């Protein structure tokens, strides 16, 4: 499995990431990508000598379809509890109610947008990834799952969007609070997600300040390659870029 820190592995594709965190108590999956990534995770578990029984939790950074992916299958077939911020509980269970702050139309001139749309179309309709049952958490909680991440609520992309600070791994998994590559334009560099995917783009930009100063050697995004230049520098780069 591609390792980005001790006990932390990046999985998925060049467009969409999810993560596997391990410690002596077991495994935590962070986000669930698209449904096809179920097989990706199964293969990685087998090749690394792990089993589904070692997966103790699946924690969502938010409940958009490209992060919910195989969560229901992991829950229903393997009994893996799925955790999400309380403000995204309805979105996780119904895949309805998510709003966009801007139109997708201006992004249609970018080849990156069409490539992403193709991947999402093959993944099927959002109704395919509804989760039957979720456990909820709030801001500041330390989750009792392998890796014991602390929750940083950073709303805007969705109401319940969070980053997860795995202090024991010196890692910050930010989901879509930040991205390392704009999935609609293809632009590289740390930035906030495009307004067309955000419920409130101004709030999303303001929320990144909650990350500033956190100690972490690596930042893992939902989209884009890991960042190793420090959390403060990542926030500063995104702040300078502004809304996208």
């Amino acid at each position: 499995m591609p390792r980005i820190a001790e006990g932390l592995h990046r999985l998925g594709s060049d467009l969409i990431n999810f993560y596997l965190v391990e410690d002596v108590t077991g495994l935590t999956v962070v986000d669930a990508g698209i449904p096809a990534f179920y097989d990706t995770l199964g293969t990685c578990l087998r090749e690394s000598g792990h089993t589904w029984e070692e997966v103790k939790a699946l924690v969502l950074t938010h409940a958009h379809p490209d992060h919910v992916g195989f969560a229901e299958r992991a829950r229903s077939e393997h009994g893996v509890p799925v955790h999400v911020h309380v403000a995204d509980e309805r979105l996780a269970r119904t895949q309805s109610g998510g709003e966009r702050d801007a139109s997708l139309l201006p992004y249609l001139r970018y080849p990156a947008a069409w490539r992403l749309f193709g991947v999402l179309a093959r993944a099927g309709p959002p109704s395919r990834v509804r989760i039957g049952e979720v456990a909820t958490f709030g801001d500041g909680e330390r989750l009792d799952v392998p890796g014991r991440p602390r929750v940083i609520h950073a709303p805007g992309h969705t109401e319940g969007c969070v980053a997860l600070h795995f202090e024991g791994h010196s890692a910050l998994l930010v989901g879509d609070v930040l991205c390392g590559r704009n999935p609609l334009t293809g632009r590289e560099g740390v930035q906030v997600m495009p307004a067309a995917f955000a419920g409130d783009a101004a709030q999303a930009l303001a929320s990144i300040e909650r990350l500033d100063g956190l100690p972490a050697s690596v930042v893992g995004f939902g989209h884009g390659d890991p960042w190793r230049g420090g959390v403060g520098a990542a926030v500063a780069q995104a702040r300078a870029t502004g809304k996208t």
Side-chain angles (χ1 to χ4, degrees):
M1 293 184 289
R3 188 177 71 174
I4 63 172
E6 188 65 34
L8 175 60
H9 308 273
R10 174 194 179 191
L11 303 171
S13 70
D14 63 329
L15 290 182
I16 301 168
N17 302 318
F18 71 104
Y19 297 88
L20 184 66
V21 183
E22 56 181 324
D23 69 11
V24 295
T25 67
L27 306 172
T28 293
V29 179
V30 176
D31 287 334
I34 57 177
F37 289 171
Y38 173 88
D39 293 329
T40 301
L41 179 57
T43 298
C44 289
L45 291 173
R46 289 193 301 274
E47 290 180 350
S48 59
H50 292 298
T51 67
W52 274 103
E53 286 69 29
E54 295 175 77
V55 180
K56 305 301 182 185
L58 196 162
V59 182
L60 300 174
T61 60
H62 64 294
H64 275 163
D66 59 326
H67 291 254
V68 169
F70 61 82
E72 172 59 16
R73 190 170 178 187
R75 185 195 72 84
S76 62
E77 295 187 12
H78 301 284
V80 178
V82 179
H83 303 256
V84 68
H85 188 277
V86 64
D88 266 13
E89 178 182 9
R90 178 172 178 265
L91 184 59
R93 292 173 61 93
T94 68
Q95 285 300 308
S96 64
E99 304 297 331
R100 290 197 181 111
D101 203 23
S103 171
L104 283 167
L105 290 178
Y107 298 96
L108 297 184
R109 67 184 186 273
Y110 295 105
W114 288 103
R115 185 173 176 227
L116 179 66
F117 296 156
V119 169
L120 297 179
R122 289 192 297 274
S127 59
R128 183 183 176 192
V129 296
R130 293 170 181 160
I131 305 172
E133 182 179 345
V134 295
T136 59
F137 54 74
D139 182 39
E141 288 190 37
R142 186 171 299 282
L143 302 183
D144 188 18
V145 302
R148 293 186 56 78
R150 185 167 66 85
V151 174
I152 300 99
H153 186 208
H157 183 68
T158 67
E159 292 182 10
C161 199
V162 304
L164 300 169
H165 190 200
F166 288 87
E167 294 163 278
H169 295 72
S170 191
L172 182 66
L173 300 184
V174 299
D176 284 358
V177 178
L178 296 169
C179 62
R181 181 190 307 114
N182 189 309
L184 289 178
T185 68
R187 178 181 178 179
E188 300 283 348
V190 184
Q191 57 204 285
V192 293
M193 286 285 284
F197 284 162
D200 186 330
Q203 185 182 43
L205 183 59
S207 285
I208 68 175
E209 303 300 331
R210 301 209 65 204
L211 309 181
D212 203 3
L214 292 173
S217 298
V218 63
V219 178
F221 309 106
H223 308 274
D225 294 332
W227 169 269
R228 301 183 186 279
V231 178
V235 170
Q237 188 173 122
R239 187 189 301 125
T241 302
K243 291 187 287 185
T244 60

